[in-house]
Amino acid sequence: MSSLAIEMQDVRAKNVFVSEDSLQIDLADGRTIIAPLMWYPRLWHGTPAERNMCQIIGDGAYIHWPELDEDLTVLGVLAGYRSAECPESLKKWLTERADPVETH
């Protein structure tokens, strides 16, 4: 196994911070990843409170935002992958946020 493969396997999130324009992930090995928030539309459209309600799961391999129904892999962010959500899906999600259906 190459040293790059070993290094990539050890990537784990320790802390997550979301500002108005960026996603910052502090890794367990001391590195920090910063990505533009516009790469992740659900985070971009989320409120500050929703953005701050994230869970680091899978021993630090994944980040989940329950209020925004968003999941990212730490490796994906490190590799520079943007959201792969199709425009139709995002549009539907935005419409549902604007006009939530009350359930009783």
Side-chain angles (χ1 to χ4, degrees):
M1 185 179 292
S2 74
S3 61
L4 179 59
I6 293 169
E7 183 178 322
M8 295 301 279
Q9 288 178 348
D10 292 337
V11 174
R12 294 180 293 118
K14 183 177 176 184
N15 293 304
V16 178
F17 304 96
V18 184
S19 71
E20 289 297 315
D21 60 358
S22 67
L23 168 64
Q24 176 179 318
I25 304 170
D26 293 337
L27 303 178
D29 65 7
R31 293 181 287 171
T32 299
I33 308 166
I34 300 175
L37 198 60
M38 66 176 46
W39 285 7
Y40 311 103
R42 289 188 182 216
L43 296 179
W44 179 259
H45 289 285
T47 66
E50 291 169 328
R51 293 176 186 160
N52 288 324
M53 285 286 264
C54 69
Q55 303 165 342
I56 298 172
I57 57 177
D59 196 31
Y62 306 94
I63 306 166
H64 174 64
W65 285 266
E67 298 294 319
L68 299 171
D69 193 24
E70 179 70 287
D71 297 284
L72 299 177
T73 66
V74 176
L75 278 176
V77 176
L78 181 62
Y81 296 148
R82 298 172 183 218
S83 172
E85 184 170 16
C86 71
E88 294 81 15
S89 174
L90 180 61
K91 184 177 179 180
K92 179 181 176 186
W93 179 78
L94 287 169
T95 300
E96 290 171 356
R97 283 176 59 83
D99 299 320
V101 176
E102 292 187 30
T103 58
H104 296 292

XYZ file of all heavy atoms in Angstrom:
826
model
N 0.850 -1.182 0.000
C 0.000 0.000 0.000
C 0.886 1.233 0.000
O 1.856 1.306 0.751
C -0.916 -0.028 1.227
C -1.917 1.091 1.234
S -3.040 1.073 2.651
C -3.994 -0.390 2.305
N 0.582 2.198 -0.828
C 1.391 3.413 -0.906
C 1.171 4.275 0.332
O 0.156 4.168 1.012
C 1.044 4.197 -2.163
O -0.205 4.829 -2.013
N 2.141 5.154 0.576
C 2.005 6.031 1.737
C 0.835 6.996 1.557
O 0.193 7.389 2.518
C 3.296 6.807 1.984
O 3.604 7.619 0.869
N 0.519 7.378 0.290
C -0.629 8.247 0.052
C -1.928 7.555 0.444
O -2.796 8.155 1.070
C -0.693 8.679 -1.410
C -1.863 9.581 -1.782
C -1.848 10.866 -0.963
C -1.847 9.901 -3.252
N -2.054 6.272 0.127
C -3.254 5.519 0.493
C -3.400 5.434 2.003
O -4.500 5.576 2.537
C -3.220 4.129 -0.126
N -2.306 5.213 2.693
C -2.348 5.149 4.158
C -2.728 6.515 4.716
O -3.572 6.632 5.595
C -0.991 4.675 4.727
C -0.742 3.223 4.329
C -0.960 4.831 6.248
C 0.655 2.748 4.610
N -2.130 7.584 4.183
C -2.424 8.933 4.647
C -3.891 9.281 4.424
O -4.537 9.872 5.284
C -1.536 9.928 3.896
C -1.695 11.356 4.355
C -0.766 12.297 3.617
O 0.381 11.920 3.343
O -1.218 13.406 3.310
N -4.444 8.903 3.295
C -5.835 9.205 2.992
C -6.782 8.416 3.893
O -7.840 8.904 4.247
C -6.151 8.920 1.518
C -5.399 9.825 0.551
S -5.736 11.565 0.803
C -7.282 11.696 -0.062
N -6.415 7.209 4.260
C -7.265 6.412 5.136
C -7.341 7.004 6.535
O -8.306 6.806 7.243
C -6.749 4.971 5.230
C -6.965 4.172 3.975
C -6.386 2.776 4.104
O -5.647 2.471 5.032
N -6.713 1.921 3.156
N -6.328 7.735 6.939
C -6.261 8.277 8.286
C -6.906 9.652 8.431
O -6.819 10.262 9.477
C -4.798 8.357 8.742
C -4.182 6.982 8.936
O -4.942 6.016 9.147
O -2.949 6.874 8.870
N -7.547 10.151 7.393
C -8.175 11.465 7.440
C -9.452 11.385 8.262
O -10.385 10.670 7.910
C -8.471 11.980 6.008
C -9.255 13.271 6.070
C -7.184 12.168 5.239
N -9.468 12.114 9.387
C -10.634 12.112 10.270
C -10.897 13.529 10.766
O -9.974 14.238 11.139
C -10.397 11.198 11.473
C -10.276 9.742 11.117
C -10.035 8.844 12.328
N -8.709 9.107 12.913
C -8.514 9.552 14.157
N -9.536 9.760 14.969
N -7.304 9.773 14.601
N -12.159 13.913 10.782
C -12.538 15.238 11.278
C -12.511 15.252 12.802
O -12.926 14.304 13.454
C -13.932 15.606 10.784
N -12.032 16.347 13.325
C -12.031 16.565 14.771
C -13.031 17.664 15.134
O -13.765 17.543 16.090
C -10.625 16.959 15.219
C -10.460 17.145 16.690
C -9.023 17.454 17.035
C -8.851 17.734 18.504
N -7.472 18.119 18.824
N -13.045 18.743 14.344
C -13.960 19.869 14.553
C -14.423 20.388 13.202
O -13.680 20.306 12.220
C -13.271 21.018 15.304
C -12.917 20.644 16.718
O -13.783 20.245 17.483
N -11.650 20.776 17.061
N -15.625 20.957 13.181
C -16.186 21.538 11.965
C -16.701 22.936 12.298
O -17.386 23.130 13.305
C -17.350 20.675 11.417
C -17.965 21.321 10.188
C -16.876 19.265 11.102
N -16.351 23.890 11.434
C -16.813 25.266 11.581
C -17.370 25.714 10.232
O -16.741 25.503 9.205
C -15.659 26.190 11.982
C -14.944 25.755 13.227
C -13.789 25.002 13.143
C -15.435 26.080 14.482
C -13.122 24.575 14.283
C -14.779 25.658 15.623
C -13.616 24.915 15.525
N -18.529 26.340 10.265
C -19.129 26.841 9.035
C -19.366 28.336 9.221
O -20.080 28.747 10.130
C -20.456 26.124 8.704
C -20.999 26.608 7.366
C -20.267 24.612 8.671
N -18.754 29.131 8.341
C -18.959 30.577 8.379
C -19.927 30.964 7.268
O -20.496 30.094 6.603
C -17.616 31.304 8.204
O -17.151 31.158 6.870
N -20.074 32.239 7.035
C -20.970 32.718 5.976
C -20.489 32.305 4.592
O -21.277 32.235 3.661
C -21.104 34.235 6.041
C -21.894 34.724 7.224
C -23.343 34.248 7.204
O -23.979 34.315 6.139
O -23.829 33.807 8.256
N -19.185 32.038 4.448
C -18.666 31.745 3.113
C -17.717 30.557 3.014
O -17.228 30.249 1.929
C -17.990 32.985 2.525
C -16.815 33.473 3.362
O -16.529 32.882 4.412
O -16.190 34.466 2.967
N -17.472 29.864 4.120
C -16.556 28.727 4.027
C -16.889 27.607 5.017
O -17.535 27.825 6.034
C -15.106 29.177 4.233
O -14.913 29.630 5.552
N -16.429 26.429 4.640
C -16.515 25.241 5.481
C -15.092 24.914 5.915
O -14.200 24.783 5.072
C -17.094 24.067 4.681
C -16.995 22.678 5.311
C -17.811 22.599 6.600
C -17.454 21.624 4.318
N -14.876 24.837 7.210
C -13.550 24.533 7.742
C -13.636 23.249 8.546
O -14.485 23.119 9.428
C -13.047 25.664 8.632
C -11.713 25.366 9.287
C -11.224 26.513 10.136
O -11.320 27.661 9.752
N -10.680 26.185 11.301
N -12.750 22.323 8.241
C -12.692 21.058 8.959
C -11.303 20.906 9.549
O -10.311 20.883 8.814
C -12.998 19.866 8.029
C -14.350 20.052 7.342
C -12.952 18.553 8.807
C -14.626 19.054 6.235
N -11.219 20.825 10.862
C -9.958 20.545 11.533
C -9.813 19.029 11.614
O -10.727 18.338 12.091
C -9.934 21.147 12.941
C -9.927 22.668 12.925
O -9.506 23.258 11.904
O -10.340 23.263 13.935
N -8.693 18.531 11.130
C -8.456 17.097 11.114
C -7.733 16.636 12.363
O -7.024 17.411 13.018
C -7.646 16.718 9.870
C -8.256 17.115 8.528
C -7.320 16.728 7.391
C -9.624 16.495 8.358
N -7.888 15.370 12.670
C -7.276 14.789 13.865
C -5.752 14.855 13.802
O -5.091 14.886 14.838
C -7.746 13.346 14.039
N -5.176 14.907 12.588
C -3.719 14.939 12.458
C -3.141 16.346 12.504
O -1.947 16.553 12.308
C -3.267 14.224 11.181
C -3.719 14.904 9.903
O -4.281 16.022 9.968
O -3.508 14.329 8.813
N -3.995 17.360 12.753
C -3.518 18.728 12.888
C -3.714 19.594 11.653
O -3.567 20.818 11.736
N -4.054 19.019 10.518
C -4.304 19.814 9.321
C -5.704 20.432 9.383
O -6.558 19.963 10.120
C -4.206 18.953 8.053
C -2.805 18.453 7.782
C -2.763 17.624 6.519
N -3.411 16.324 6.780
C -3.694 15.442 5.829
N -3.409 15.706 4.555
N -4.267 14.292 6.138
N -5.901 21.461 8.567
C -7.195 22.114 8.433
C -7.534 22.218 6.955
O -6.697 22.618 6.156
C -7.178 23.521 9.065
O -6.892 23.400 10.461
C -8.511 24.222 8.888
N -8.759 21.848 6.611
C -9.269 21.965 5.247
C -10.248 23.134 5.245
O -11.114 23.217 6.119
C -10.060 20.715 4.821
C -9.290 19.432 5.046
C -10.516 20.841 3.377
C -10.191 18.187 4.936
N -10.138 24.008 4.239
C -11.114 25.082 4.078
C -11.627 25.018 2.648
O -10.841 24.991 1.701
C -10.507 26.463 4.382
C -9.984 26.503 5.819
C -11.545 27.568 4.143
C -9.253 27.773 6.178
N -12.957 24.968 2.506
C -13.583 24.905 1.188
C -14.636 26.002 1.089
O -15.271 26.352 2.090
C -14.232 23.540 0.970
N -14.850 26.531 -0.113
C -15.899 27.543 -0.288
C -17.277 26.959 0.009
O -17.612 25.871 -0.455
C -15.806 27.927 -1.766
C -14.502 27.395 -2.249
C -14.159 26.243 -1.363
N -18.064 27.677 0.774
C -19.392 27.192 1.148
C -20.297 27.057 -0.076
O -21.150 26.175 -0.111
C -20.021 28.116 2.186
C -21.170 27.536 2.979
C -20.736 26.302 3.768
C -21.751 28.572 3.905
N -20.073 27.854 -1.093
C -20.917 27.786 -2.291
C -20.785 26.440 -3.008
O -21.625 26.105 -3.822
C -20.623 28.942 -3.251
C -19.246 28.877 -3.855
S -18.879 30.157 -5.102
C -19.464 31.617 -4.355
N -19.779 25.663 -2.689
C -19.639 24.319 -3.265
C -20.701 23.377 -2.718
O -20.947 22.319 -3.288
C -18.271 23.743 -2.962
C -17.154 24.319 -3.762
C -17.183 25.370 -4.618
C -15.810 23.849 -3.758
N -15.951 25.589 -5.143
C -15.083 24.675 -4.634
C -15.155 22.829 -3.083
C -13.721 24.498 -4.869
C -13.800 22.650 -3.319
C -13.101 23.476 -4.205
N -21.326 23.728 -1.597
C -22.296 22.869 -0.918
C -23.590 23.668 -0.734
O -23.796 24.304 0.308
C -21.721 22.377 0.409
C -20.329 21.827 0.234
C -19.207 22.568 0.608
C -20.129 20.582 -0.361
C -17.935 22.072 0.411
C -18.852 20.092 -0.574
C -17.761 20.839 -0.182
O -16.493 20.357 -0.405
N -24.459 23.662 -1.747
C -25.646 24.539 -1.736
C -26.549 24.405 -0.524
O -27.116 25.400 -0.067
C -26.394 24.142 -3.008
C -25.351 23.578 -3.907
C -24.359 22.909 -2.999
N -26.699 23.211 0.003
C -27.583 23.084 1.177
C -26.993 23.819 2.374
O -27.723 24.428 3.162
C -27.853 21.625 1.498
C -28.755 20.983 0.452
C -29.185 19.625 0.860
N -30.013 19.028 -0.172
C -31.044 18.250 0.059
N -31.381 17.956 1.296
N -31.745 17.757 -0.943
N -25.687 23.775 2.525
C -25.051 24.542 3.592
C -25.156 26.030 3.292
O -25.419 26.842 4.180
C -23.587 24.134 3.754
C -23.314 22.712 4.201
C -21.820 22.454 4.284
C -23.977 22.397 5.523
N -24.943 26.403 2.051
C -25.011 27.797 1.619
C -26.379 28.402 1.945
O -26.475 29.523 2.415
C -24.730 27.864 0.128
C -24.786 29.244 -0.455
C -25.824 29.791 -1.157
C -23.780 30.246 -0.393
N -25.511 31.072 -1.542
C -24.262 31.382 -1.082
C -22.512 30.302 0.177
C -23.527 32.550 -1.214
C -21.775 31.468 0.047
C -22.281 32.568 -0.640
N -27.449 27.642 1.696
C -28.808 28.135 1.922
C -29.284 27.932 3.365
O -30.359 28.412 3.714
C -29.792 27.451 0.963
C -29.625 27.894 -0.446
N -30.053 29.120 -0.895
C -29.061 27.280 -1.511
C -29.764 29.249 -2.177
N -29.164 28.144 -2.578
N -28.518 27.235 4.165
C -28.909 26.998 5.550
C -28.717 28.223 6.421
O -27.936 29.121 6.102
N -29.434 28.245 7.507
C -29.263 29.326 8.482
C -28.000 29.051 9.293
O -27.510 27.916 9.341
C -30.460 29.399 9.439
O -30.478 28.208 10.243
C -31.776 29.564 8.696
N -27.454 30.067 9.949
C -26.292 29.819 10.808
C -26.550 28.719 11.849
O -25.689 27.892 12.096
C -26.039 31.177 11.467
C -26.527 32.168 10.450
C -27.752 31.500 9.850
N -27.748 28.705 12.419
C -28.071 27.672 13.416
C -28.065 26.287 12.780
O -27.543 25.328 13.365
C -29.425 27.961 14.056
N -28.631 26.153 11.576
C -28.652 24.855 10.890
C -27.240 24.411 10.510
O -26.900 23.237 10.613
C -29.519 24.933 9.629
C -30.992 25.083 9.917
C -31.791 25.412 8.672
O -31.277 26.091 7.750
O -32.968 24.984 8.620
N -26.432 25.343 10.078
C -25.047 25.028 9.696
C -24.227 24.549 10.886
O -23.331 23.721 10.740
C -24.373 26.260 9.099
C -24.924 26.708 7.791
C -24.227 27.983 7.384
N -24.811 28.550 6.193
C -24.668 29.810 5.829
N -23.962 30.644 6.576
N -25.225 30.242 4.728
N -24.524 25.107 12.048
C -23.760 24.750 13.246
C -24.230 23.451 13.891
O -23.584 22.963 14.816
C -23.799 25.892 14.255
C -22.966 27.063 13.798
O -21.917 26.894 13.196
N -23.440 28.257 14.067
N -25.348 22.901 13.437
C -25.886 21.651 13.990
C -25.373 20.462 13.178
O -26.144 19.814 12.481
C -27.411 21.674 13.968
C -28.011 22.539 15.026
S -27.848 21.743 16.610
C -29.425 20.971 16.708
N -24.096 20.213 13.224
C -23.559 19.078 12.474
C -23.074 18.004 13.437
O -22.817 18.259 14.613
C -22.444 19.519 11.539
S -20.947 20.034 12.354
N -22.977 16.810 12.895
C -22.505 15.656 13.657
C -21.329 15.036 12.913
O -21.428 14.800 11.704
C -23.617 14.621 13.798
C -24.873 15.144 14.427
C -26.063 14.223 14.228
O -26.080 13.359 13.364
N -27.097 14.419 15.041
N -20.256 14.796 13.619
C -19.127 14.075 13.049
C -19.373 12.603 13.349
O -19.521 12.222 14.507
C -17.798 14.556 13.664
C -17.588 16.042 13.342
C -16.639 13.709 13.156
C -16.417 16.668 14.066
N -19.468 11.799 12.304
C -19.823 10.389 12.477
C -18.815 9.491 11.757
O -17.950 9.972 11.033
C -21.264 10.113 11.993
C -21.452 10.529 10.545
C -22.271 10.833 12.875
C -22.846 10.224 9.983
N -18.960 8.188 11.965
C -18.080 7.228 11.310
C -16.636 7.402 11.703
O -15.746 7.379 10.855
N -16.368 7.617 12.983
C -15.018 7.833 13.496
C -14.326 9.009 12.810
O -13.133 8.986 12.563
C -14.179 6.560 13.385
C -12.920 6.606 14.242
O -12.937 7.258 15.296
O -11.906 5.993 13.836
N -15.125 10.026 12.433
C -14.567 11.230 11.840
C -14.503 11.229 10.331
O -14.003 12.176 9.733
N -15.020 10.195 9.692
C -14.958 10.101 8.230
C -16.074 10.886 7.546
O -15.947 11.249 6.375
C -15.013 8.643 7.789
N -17.157 11.155 8.259
C -18.337 11.786 7.663
C -18.816 12.935 8.543
O -18.656 12.910 9.765
C -19.493 10.791 7.529
C -19.115 9.543 6.786
C -18.690 8.414 7.473
C -19.174 9.500 5.397
C -18.322 7.263 6.792
C -18.805 8.356 4.707
C -18.384 7.240 5.413
O -18.017 6.109 4.736
N -19.482 13.901 7.881
C -20.119 15.004 8.598
C -21.567 15.051 8.135
O -21.846 15.006 6.932
C -19.426 16.341 8.319
C -17.927 16.228 8.620
C -20.067 17.456 9.152
C -17.113 17.371 8.080
N -22.480 15.120 9.101
C -23.913 15.085 8.812
C -24.576 16.308 9.414
O -24.341 16.655 10.572
C -24.520 13.805 9.405
C -26.004 13.721 9.298
N -26.665 13.661 8.096
C -26.964 13.716 10.257
C -27.967 13.599 8.318
N -28.173 13.644 9.620
N -25.417 16.972 8.593
C -26.232 18.096 9.040
C -27.686 17.652 8.991
O -28.318 17.695 7.925
C -26.024 19.316 8.129
C -24.735 20.030 8.343
C -24.524 21.111 9.147
C -23.473 19.737 7.734
N -23.206 21.496 9.082
C -22.540 20.663 8.217
C -23.034 18.761 6.826
C -21.206 20.661 7.818
C -21.710 18.749 6.434
C -20.814 19.691 6.932
N -28.264 17.202 10.110
C -29.623 16.667 10.091
C -30.676 17.680 9.637
O -31.608 17.323 8.917
C -29.873 16.204 11.520
C -28.781 16.747 12.350
C -27.672 17.150 11.443
N -30.549 18.920 10.033
C -31.543 19.939 9.676
C -31.522 20.273 8.187
O -32.508 20.754 7.643
C -31.329 21.214 10.494
C -31.500 21.022 11.984
C -32.932 20.677 12.372
O -33.865 21.268 11.801
O -33.099 19.815 13.247
N -30.391 20.030 7.539
C -30.238 20.362 6.122
C -30.244 19.123 5.230
O -30.151 19.246 4.014
C -28.944 21.154 5.904
C -28.871 22.492 6.656
C -27.481 23.088 6.555
C -29.916 23.448 6.116
N -30.335 17.955 5.845
C -30.287 16.690 5.107
C -29.056 16.638 4.200
O -29.136 16.302 3.020
C -31.571 16.478 4.303
C -31.700 15.052 3.788
O -31.086 14.150 4.382
O -32.402 14.839 2.781
N -27.900 16.996 4.761
C -26.640 17.041 4.022
C -25.620 16.135 4.679
O -25.515 16.102 5.906
C -26.106 18.470 3.985
C -24.789 18.637 3.254
C -24.904 18.447 1.763
O -25.078 17.285 1.321
O -24.843 19.448 1.032
N -24.902 15.395 3.855
C -23.836 14.519 4.326
C -22.619 14.723 3.433
O -22.738 14.725 2.203
C -24.265 13.049 4.239
C -25.446 12.753 5.146
O -25.225 12.659 6.361
O -26.567 12.614 4.625
N -21.458 14.898 4.046
C -20.214 15.024 3.305
C -19.200 14.039 3.859
O -19.206 13.752 5.055
C -19.645 16.440 3.437
C -20.491 17.595 2.911
C -19.807 18.922 3.204
C -20.732 17.439 1.423
N -18.336 13.561 2.971
C -17.207 12.771 3.444
C -16.022 13.710 3.601
O -15.838 14.634 2.793
C -16.833 11.640 2.463
O -16.339 12.207 1.251
C -18.022 10.724 2.188
N -15.243 13.469 4.618
C -14.069 14.300 4.842
C -13.085 14.111 3.684
O -12.504 15.081 3.193
C -13.425 13.973 6.212
C -12.150 14.755 6.413
C -14.430 14.275 7.326
N -12.931 12.890 3.215
C -12.058 12.643 2.062
C -12.523 13.398 0.830
O -11.709 13.914 0.061
C -11.994 11.147 1.751
C -11.022 10.324 2.575
C -11.138 8.843 2.228
C -9.602 10.800 2.390
N -13.825 13.472 0.613
C -14.355 14.200 -0.531
C -14.035 15.682 -0.464
O -13.655 16.298 -1.467
N -14.193 16.275 0.715
C -13.869 17.690 0.879
C -12.370 17.894 0.664
O -11.954 18.820 -0.042
C -14.314 18.206 2.265
C -13.884 19.664 2.467
C -15.823 18.074 2.428
N -11.558 17.012 1.230
C -10.109 17.102 1.070
C -9.704 16.986 -0.396
O -8.814 17.690 -0.867
C -9.412 16.012 1.891
C -7.885 15.991 1.841
C -7.300 17.282 2.395
C -7.353 14.798 2.618
N -10.393 16.152 -1.141
C -10.094 15.961 -2.563
C -10.633 17.100 -3.428
O -10.348 17.163 -4.621
C -10.672 14.630 -3.041
N -11.429 17.990 -2.850
C -11.966 19.126 -3.594
C -13.257 18.841 -4.325
O -13.636 19.574 -5.231
N -13.951 17.769 -3.908
C -15.233 17.450 -4.541
C -16.311 18.413 -4.066
O -16.466 18.644 -2.880
C -15.676 16.019 -4.226
C -14.771 14.953 -4.761
C -14.606 13.764 -4.082
C -14.055 15.126 -5.937
C -13.774 12.767 -4.566
C -13.225 14.141 -6.428
C -13.086 12.958 -5.743
O -12.256 11.984 -6.224
N -17.074 18.902 -5.024
C -18.213 19.756 -4.727
C -19.456 18.890 -4.593
O -19.436 17.713 -4.918
C -18.412 20.751 -5.865
C -17.237 21.662 -6.062
C -17.402 22.481 -7.308
N -16.240 23.299 -7.528
C -16.274 24.535 -7.993
N -17.435 25.086 -8.303
N -15.167 25.225 -8.161
N -20.541 19.495 -4.164
C -21.810 18.779 -4.088
C -22.171 18.250 -5.470
O -22.044 18.955 -6.472
C -22.917 19.711 -3.603
O -24.174 19.083 -3.707
N -22.641 17.023 -5.502
C -23.059 16.410 -6.762
C -24.577 16.412 -6.906
O -25.115 15.763 -7.801
C -22.523 14.986 -6.834
N -25.271 17.152 -6.039
C -26.728 17.193 -6.102
C -27.177 17.848 -7.402
O -26.674 18.909 -7.787
C -27.293 17.954 -4.907
C -28.795 17.948 -4.864
C -29.350 18.501 -3.557
O -28.617 19.150 -2.803
O -30.542 18.264 -3.308
N -28.118 17.218 -8.060
C -28.613 17.754 -9.336
C -29.458 18.999 -9.070
O -30.066 19.145 -8.002
C -29.386 16.710 -10.118
S -30.990 16.287 -9.427
N -29.504 19.920 -10.041
C -30.270 21.160 -9.851
C -31.739 20.932 -9.527
O -32.323 21.682 -8.745
C -30.109 21.881 -11.194
C -28.851 21.347 -11.771
C -28.769 19.912 -11.306
N -32.346 19.904 -10.106
C -33.761 19.631 -9.849
C -33.996 19.256 -8.389
O -34.967 19.681 -7.771
C -34.281 18.520 -10.770
C -34.302 18.893 -12.234
C -32.935 18.758 -12.917
O -32.022 18.105 -12.355
O -32.772 19.332 -14.001
N -33.102 18.447 -7.856
C -33.222 18.032 -6.457
C -33.057 19.231 -5.523
O -33.809 19.391 -4.558
C -32.188 16.956 -6.139
O -32.200 16.640 -4.771
N -32.070 20.067 -5.808
C -31.857 21.251 -4.985
C -33.060 22.188 -5.058
O -33.502 22.709 -4.032
C -30.585 21.987 -5.412
C -30.270 23.243 -4.614
C -30.059 22.926 -3.138
C -29.070 23.952 -5.208
N -33.601 22.374 -6.241
C -34.767 23.238 -6.403
C -35.949 22.720 -5.589
O -36.644 23.482 -4.917
C -35.148 23.345 -7.881
C -36.284 24.298 -8.138
C -36.580 24.422 -9.622
C -37.743 25.354 -9.861
N -38.066 25.494 -11.276
N -36.173 21.415 -5.634
C -37.263 20.807 -4.857
C -37.035 21.027 -3.359
O -37.955 21.391 -2.630
C -37.347 19.311 -5.165
C -38.434 18.597 -4.398
C -38.469 17.122 -4.725
C -39.502 16.422 -3.854
N -39.500 14.988 -4.024
N -35.815 20.827 -2.900
C -35.478 21.013 -1.495
C -35.707 22.465 -1.072
O -36.284 22.741 -0.013
C -34.031 20.579 -1.243
C -33.576 20.751 0.161
C -33.856 19.938 1.223
C -32.738 21.791 0.671
N -33.245 20.421 2.364
C -32.558 21.555 2.045
C -32.124 22.897 0.099
C -31.783 22.379 2.851
C -31.354 23.734 0.908
C -31.202 23.462 2.268
N -35.286 23.408 -1.909
C -35.475 24.824 -1.598
C -36.953 25.188 -1.544
O -37.379 25.954 -0.673
C -34.752 25.698 -2.628
C -33.231 25.717 -2.507
C -32.611 26.393 -3.726
C -32.791 26.396 -1.222
N -37.736 24.620 -2.458
C -39.178 24.872 -2.469
C -39.825 24.334 -1.199
O -40.666 24.998 -0.588
C -39.823 24.234 -3.718
O -39.239 24.817 -4.874
C -41.324 24.452 -3.731
N -39.431 23.144 -0.791
C -39.977 22.553 0.439
C -39.599 23.366 1.667
O -40.388 23.481 2.604
C -39.505 21.113 0.583
C -40.125 20.170 -0.433
C -39.497 18.789 -0.427
O -38.514 18.551 0.309
O -39.982 17.942 -1.201
N -38.424 23.959 1.667
C -38.009 24.809 2.797
C -38.836 26.086 2.841
O -39.173 26.580 3.909
C -36.533 25.180 2.684
C -35.601 24.094 3.064
C -34.156 24.484 2.838
N -33.705 25.643 3.560
C -33.274 25.670 4.819
N -33.257 24.555 5.518
N -32.842 26.777 5.375
N -39.158 26.621 1.669
C -39.905 27.874 1.607
C -41.378 27.681 1.972
O -41.991 28.567 2.570
C -39.799 28.470 0.199
N -41.930 26.526 1.613
C -43.343 26.226 1.863
C -43.490 24.872 2.555
O -43.968 23.928 1.943
C -44.129 26.212 0.548
C -44.106 27.532 -0.170
O -44.214 28.563 0.515
O -43.959 27.532 -1.400
N -43.068 24.778 3.808
C -43.165 23.475 4.472
C -44.620 23.041 4.648
O -45.487 23.855 4.958
C -42.499 23.702 5.831
C -42.536 25.172 6.058
C -42.562 25.823 4.686
N -44.837 21.778 4.428
C -46.179 21.198 4.594
C -46.321 20.795 6.054
O -45.491 20.081 6.592
C -46.371 19.976 3.676
C -47.722 19.338 3.930
C -46.210 20.383 2.229
N -47.373 21.270 6.683
C -47.612 20.911 8.083
C -48.181 19.506 8.129
O -49.076 19.148 7.376
C -48.582 21.888 8.730
C -47.999 23.272 8.894
C -48.909 24.168 9.694
O -49.638 23.649 10.565
O -48.888 25.377 9.451
N -47.642 18.719 9.045
C -48.142 17.364 9.249
C -48.679 17.228 10.654
O -48.100 17.740 11.611
C -47.035 16.328 9.007
O -45.949 16.593 9.882
C -46.567 16.350 7.563
N -49.816 16.603 10.785
C -50.422 16.393 12.111
C -50.743 14.930 12.285
O -51.090 14.226 11.440
C -51.707 17.214 12.270
C -51.456 18.680 12.232
N -50.778 19.346 13.218
C -51.772 19.631 11.304
C -50.719 20.639 12.920
N -51.317 20.828 11.749
